[in-house]
Amino acid sequence: MNLPLTDSPLERLGWDDGWEAAFAEHRAAGLIPARVAVQHRGAYDLAHGPDPIRAAAAARLAREDRLPAVGDWVGLDPETTLVEAVLPRRTVLSRKEALNATREQVLAANVDVAFLIQSLPLDFNVRRLERYLAMAWESGAQPVVLLTKIDLVDDYSPFVAEAETITFGACPVHPVSAHSGDGLDEVRAWFRGNRTAVLVGSSGVGKSTLVNALVGEELLETQAVREEDHAGRHTTTRRELVLLPTGGVVLDTPGIRELQLWDADLDQAFGDVEEFALRCRFSDCSHRTEPGCAIRTALRDGSLSADRWTSYVKLQRELRALEIRRNHLLRREQLREYKIRARQHRSKRR
Ligand code: GDP
Ligand code: ZN
């Protein structure tokens, strides 16, 4: 095993002999290796040494449909700061675009470990875990199930046992608590050899808290902090590639985080919350100022935890945004089909 502190910055980001061999021709051409940390519109932040490099992709890569994604190893021309090459990917975490199953959006490249995260006791859902597993197996990354917030249950072993009924021994299940520190060493062990991981899981399961615990500082704002902004805005830019102090990388892009939302089922995951909402005096209660609000009563008397309510509100907001996007895509698709049919109709009449 590598001694972490003697690794070069590039090695701590996951660079190894295999990548070096794949890069030989590009090095000969004067390119330098770097890893895509953040993808902006038309630009990339590349990790290489202590400071990120802002770069654009060479037009040729766009023409050839070979634009880099977060996690890609690329060849940078230091003179032009253009990305000229993308190394062949070892793994690809992608999602098929809605209604357009032939095009896939690469969410992250070269991921070694996919942490599939559910928090105890309420977020645990074997059916959803199955979907995460299917996605991880397809990507080529090693899935590892993390059951978080075990400090909130008396006994986590029934949950572990239930998760193991669908992992078939091919995927470890670790119980962890970022608050107590239990299980964190098992999580850290997966980063040995400077491996790259992603965190997949619903909003509020503790992904940011976990990353902060691994890094040892408040690097990502957690949901509790974000919630203080009542306007619903947060202006701080998120770090998408987090380098751990002992080497290894967490890729934490919004796309990966939102992955589950394409299938999220609020009724099932938040049946308790929806039950409270049914008891509000007004059926269109916003749960803010209306009299007879059962949600606010439940929050006050503790039968609904603030954490859980926060997760629910956030998830609901994200789902609504997603629905608007889906409807938009659907209309665009319908319009296109209509135009095609109209054209066929006209040419038939001629
Ligand atoms: P994310 O949306 O998945 O990034 O979740 P956050 O990291 O923002 O955490 C959501 C909430 O869960 C916050 O209020 C955290 O303090 C809380 N939380 C995170 N980890 C734990 C844990 O191990 N135990 C308990 N009890 N709460 C936790
Ligand atoms: Zn209400």
Side-chain angles (χ1 to χ4, degrees):
M1 205 191 89
N2 288 323
L3 290 173
L5 294 176
T6 60
D7 287 353
S8 77
L10 216 54
E11 280 168 334
R12 293 174 51 199
L13 286 164
W15 189 253
D16 59 23
D17 292 345
W19 291 122
E20 187 59 52
F23 200 72
E25 52 167 321
H26 302 305
R27 209 182 270 289
L31 303 184
I32 58 167
R35 193 163 192 196
V36 177
V38 184
Q39 189 173 350
H40 306 281
R41 265 175 215 287
Y44 298 90
D45 286 341
L46 306 181
H48 167 77
D51 296 312
I53 310 168
R54 183 57 72 89
R60 183 175 43 82
L61 293 178
R63 272 201 310 276
E64 295 171 3
D65 205 14
R66 288 195 300 128
L67 284 174
V70 170
D72 263 322
W73 284 103
V74 299
L76 177 75
D77 184 333
E79 304 283 311
T80 60
T81 66
L82 283 179
V83 171
E84 294 286 350
V86 183
L87 291 189
R89 293 169 179 149
R90 289 182 186 168
T91 66
V92 181
L93 196 67
S94 65
R95 114 176 129 200
K96 300 268 194 299
E97 282 184 7
L99 300 164
N100 188 355
T102 53
R103 252 186 70 176
E104 66 174 8
Q105 182 194 359
V106 176
L107 298 171
N110 305 315
V111 173
D112 302 306
V113 180
F115 288 116
L116 312 177
I117 307 184
Q118 297 195 328
S119 63
L120 301 188
L122 292 171
D123 180 66
F124 184 75
N125 178 318
V126 180
R127 301 284 85 78
R128 187 149 32 85
L129 202 51
E130 273 171 341
R131 287 207 294 272
Y132 290 164
L133 269 171
M135 174 217 69
W137 289 126
E138 171 144 346
S139 76
Q142 165 71 53
V144 174
V145 173
L146 299 185
L147 301 181
T148 58
K149 307 195 190 180
I150 55 169
D151 54 289
L152 296 180
V153 298
D154 292 332
D155 181 11
Y156 56 74
S157 53
F159 295 98
V160 174
E162 198 178 342
E164 282 174 343
T165 61
I166 58 159
T167 56
F168 306 106
C171 157
V173 179
H174 296 311
V176 299
S177 165
H179 281 191
S180 72
D182 285 326
L184 286 182
D185 284 341
E186 280 84 349
V187 177
R188 280 199 191 93
W190 284 99
F191 290 93
R192 259 183 224 145
N194 302 322
R195 278 189 276 198
T196 296
V198 291
L199 309 180
V200 177
S202 303
S203 177
V205 297
K207 296 183 293 296
S208 305
T209 309
L210 185 65
V211 172
N212 290 339
L214 292 172
V215 174
E217 59 180 291
E218 285 285 306
L219 191 64
L220 304 180
E221 36 166 4
T222 58
Q223 191 164 301
V225 177
R226 285 197 295 269
E227 217 44 42
E228 271 162 32
D229 182 352
H230 285 291
R233 273 167 300 179
H234 35 104
T235 45
T236 36
T237 42
R238 290 162 44 89
R239 286 248 212 136
E240 300 193 354
L241 183 152
V242 179
L243 180 60
L244 301 192
T246 47
V249 164
V250 178
L251 297 181
D252 186 32
T253 75
I256 294 171
R257 289 195 156 209
E258 287 155 15
L259 197 57
Q260 81 288 350
L261 288 175
W262 293 84
D263 267 328
D265 181 350
L266 274 188
D267 290 345
Q268 186 168 353
F270 288 90
D272 55 333
V273 178
E274 309 226 309
E275 207 131 293
F276 283 123
L278 283 176
R279 282 187 242 143
C280 293
R281 187 179 305 163
F282 301 106
S283 61
D284 61 348
C285 185
S286 72
H287 318 305
R288 282 194 200 109
T289 53
E290 294 88 340
C293 173
I295 293 280
R296 286 208 321 284
T297 306
L299 284 170
R300 237 184 347 256
D301 70 20
S303 43
L304 174 60
S305 82
D307 270 1
R308 185 147 172 85
W309 173 242
T310 304
S311 314
Y312 175 80
V313 170
K314 200 176 155 204
L315 196 59
Q316 203 182 36
R317 200 161 49 210
E318 288 173 35
L319 279 174
R320 213 171 288 143
L322 198 63
E323 198 175 302
I324 290 170
R325 202 177 111 71
R326 262 187 185 156
N327 286 340
H328 173 76
L329 283 172
L330 189 67
R331 269 199 300 277
R332 209 170 61 183
E333 196 76 5
Q334 283 169 341
L335 187 68
R336 201 161 68 193
E337 215 151 88
Y338 170 79
K339 281 182 178 161
I340 292 172
R341 257 192 249 123
R343 209 178 302 139
Q344 285 169 344
H345 187 67
R346 274 200 306 274
S347 63
K348 238 185 261 157
R349 283 203 322 208
R350 248 182 245 138

